[in-house]
Amino acid sequence: MPARSVAGMSLDHLASTLEGALVLPGSADFDTARLYHGRTGEPAAVVRVAGVTDVVAALAAARAEGLPVAVRGGGHSNWESLPGALVVDLGELRRVEVDGGPPAADGARLVHVDGGATWGEVADELGRHGLAISSGDTRSVGVGKLTLGAGIGWVVRRWGLALDQLTGVQLVTARGEVLEVSASSHPELFWGVRGGGGNLGVVTRFDFLAHPLAGIVHARLTLDGSDLAALVRAFRDVMRAAPRELNGSLVRTPAMGPDMPGQTTLELAWAGPDEDAARVAFAPLLALPQVQSSEVAAAQYRDLLQKAPVPPPGMVMPTVVDENGWFESLDDDLIDALVAASDAAGAPMFLVRWLGGAFGDVDPVATAIAFRTAEAFVLTAGFLPPGSTDADAAGMKALLAPFAERALGTYGNFTNAVAPGLPGRMYPPATLARLAALKREWDPDNLFSRNHNVLPGGPDPSRRLRYVACGQRSAAKAGRSAQKS
């Protein structure tokens, strides 16, 4: 169809220069193009890019008329629910390629992953080469959003975060420059990309170091969760002494219908194929009196990644009220306080992911994820029915205050809250100041505001008011409906 005008901008030139496609409101493909994780967004337009030059062209069009940019990788993100953005859809860029160069001394290989790939696609391809990257937990999660925000994977204690395995990126800046960014090329920008959450540009290619992994041993324990605090303490005591090959997550999940009752489970992953060594490490947890059933089996890393349920189009979703944090020491009093707060708020979801090991080996100033002394990540979430008010959500949030008050900080990948002050909880002051300096240098007009937005600041804020105001209006309109991806 002919190109239309969006926010006063004629898109004729953009449409004519793209190798991919420009999808506009009213076109036959628009209702499909604006879907995100089963829900319907309200973008100004969607650019389905076919390559890096299309990304450059899309950003030029957005700059010309002050449209904020929402970047869609291969996964799902609720930032697209904030209306009025030009969505840059990387979904056609899905290459996962093991570099043909020689492996490192330990067998690690360089892997190139396009910005539209999902972690399921990465795990499948690397599995054919006997390799793995500690990634997300879900097949449909996009490589981009998760990596830029951190990425706590099933082998985090062995290899660290997804961003810790990153050696470089191809980045398109707000000005349309295409940069190769690494520790030796634009090193400060490379620091900010690793944890800055998409504030600094569009990553069209990620370069990871993938590790040899012949297999894993997986255990799933179903538990009596009637005394959750006692379970968390028992889990903590074992994991504090565990080898870094042992990774684990304790989770209480709510009922999701008649076929999915609420339960408390412990998922364990041993980073290696040695089943005897795994069973020795699992033994103290398998012996807990709360264990009701257990399964232990050899598997491949890709088998750990689950399929996330996708709500049907048009389904009215509940309002998610959540809180999370990086915690340096889960002492008994803290565990009691967190569980009590979750229960008082009526929040059925409660998760403890154990850290340490390689996660803690990284210098806190080496990446923008600075809370490396944390021994655990803890999350809780409650669900309010459709039609609940802002006051209802605020009341539940207030009851979850101990998570914010006693945490080192908040993990941005596990919240899509649009609270303006959230970056101040995600980053220590020195880290936030360093990110703001990078933002002033590389995105002074705040083109990339559809994220946990680090504002450029600086002596002349008037030059960015156009973008900030647009983002704030969108955030105000969609704040209550933003959900956790």
Side-chain angles (χ1 to χ4, degrees):
M1 64 177 293
R4 295 187 177 189
S5 176
V6 175
M9 171 181 60
S10 171
L11 296 178
D12 286 309
H13 180 66
L14 175 61
S16 66
T17 60
L18 291 174
E19 294 181 40
L22 176 67
V23 186
L24 295 160
S27 69
D29 291 341
F30 187 68
D31 282 344
T32 300
R34 64 181 176 148
L35 285 177
Y36 65 101
H37 198 44
R39 281 164 282 182
T40 302
E42 300 177 19
V46 177
V47 181
R48 290 172 168 162
V49 303
V52 177
T53 56
D54 282 358
V55 176
V56 173
L59 297 185
R63 287 196 310 273
E65 290 298 324
L67 286 174
V69 171
V71 181
R72 177 190 294 164
H76 41 83
S77 169
N78 287 287
W79 292 108
E80 296 168 46
S81 66
L82 304 180
L86 184 67
V87 173
V88 178
D89 187 347
L90 306 179
E92 295 300 315
L93 309 182
R94 311 186 81 88
R95 178 189 58 141
V96 181
E97 178 182 83
V98 177
D99 193 275
D106 63 354
R109 301 288 297 273
L110 186 64
V111 177
H112 308 292
V113 180
D114 283 351
T118 65
W119 282 115
E121 293 166 340
V122 173
D124 288 344
E125 178 61 26
L126 294 188
R128 288 188 272 272
H129 298 267
L131 300 168
I133 298 170
S134 188
S135 60
D137 301 343
T138 307
R139 293 187 59 84
S140 58
V141 165
V143 169
K145 182 175 183 291
L146 181 123
T147 302
L148 297 175
I152 304 174
W154 276 115
V155 201
V156 64
R157 288 168 43 77
R158 178 82 180 271
W159 299 322
L161 300 169
L163 62 79
D164 294 329
Q165 300 156 90
L166 199 60
T167 65
V169 301
Q170 183 181 70
L171 181 78
V172 183
T173 72
R175 292 187 289 267
E177 303 158 285
V178 181
L179 303 178
E180 294 294 327
V181 179
S182 66
S184 59
S185 176
H186 306 288
E188 183 68 5
L189 190 54
F190 186 52
W191 171 88
V193 165
R194 291 175 295 159
N199 272 283
L200 300 173
V202 181
V203 177
T204 51
R205 191 197 72 243
F206 295 84
D207 300 327
F208 293 99
L209 202 61
H211 312 277
L213 188 66
I216 59 99
V217 184
H218 173 245
R220 187 176 192 274
L221 286 61
T222 302
L223 306 163
D224 175 0
S226 58
D227 189 345
L228 183 60
L231 274 177
V232 175
R233 286 193 288 271
F235 178 49
R236 172 204 64 193
D237 292 344
V238 173
M239 294 305 297
R240 279 180 172 172
R244 61 181 57 199
E245 287 83 5
L246 180 59
N247 295 262
S249 182
L250 175 67
V251 59
R252 178 179 70 187
T253 56
M256 301 279 219
D259 297 328
M260 296 180 66
Q263 59 183 344
T264 302
T265 58
L266 183 56
E267 300 276 352
L268 303 173
W270 177 262
D274 189 337
E275 191 168 344
D276 290 338
R279 286 185 177 275
V280 170
F282 295 165
L285 294 167
L286 290 168
L288 292 177
Q290 296 95 335
V291 174
Q292 296 175 329
S293 66
S294 63
E295 299 174 7
V296 179
Q300 295 298 314
Y301 180 80
R302 60 180 175 267
D303 299 329
L304 292 182
L305 305 189
Q306 300 176 347
K307 291 184 178 180
V310 177
M315 178 179 176
V316 180
M317 300 296 293
T319 296
V320 177
V321 181
D322 58 0
E323 193 61 85
N324 76 65
W326 309 95
F327 291 92
E328 187 165 36
S329 178
L330 282 186
D331 60 44
D332 289 353
D333 289 343
L334 176 59
I335 291 170
D336 289 342
L338 297 182
V339 172
S342 179
D343 290 345
M349 179 78 179
F350 194 97
L351 177 146
V352 181
R353 172 63 64 85
W354 205 257
L355 301 171
F359 170 85
D361 291 343
V362 178
D363 189 325
V365 301
T367 73
I369 300 300
F371 302 118
R372 299 294 182 149
T373 59
E375 69 175 4
F377 166 75
V378 185
L379 171 144
T380 190
F383 308 92
L384 294 173
S388 299
T389 66
D390 289 340
D392 295 331
M396 180 177 284
K397 193 77 168 177
L399 292 171
L400 300 178
F403 283 79
E405 294 168 353
R406 301 183 67 170
L408 295 172
T410 296
Y411 179 30
N413 271 3
F414 272 73
T415 179
N416 271 0
V418 291
L422 190 60
R425 291 173 50 195
M426 291 169 53
Y427 306 107
T431 302
L432 186 57
R434 193 172 170 185
L435 285 171
L438 279 169
K439 188 79 169 175
R440 286 194 295 274
E441 180 179 359
W442 294 103
D443 186 16
D445 296 323
N446 202 20
L447 183 66
F448 302 112
S449 62
R450 295 302 175 89
N451 45 46
H452 296 306
N453 197 208
V454 175
L455 294 176
D460 183 19
S462 62
R463 64 188 304 194
R464 60 179 171 83
L465 287 179
R466 206 170 174 189
Y467 299 97
V468 175
C470 184
Q472 288 174 341
R473 286 195 300 271
S474 299
K477 181 176 180 181
R480 230 177 65 233
S481 63
Q483 309 292 327
K484 177 165 62 66
S485 67

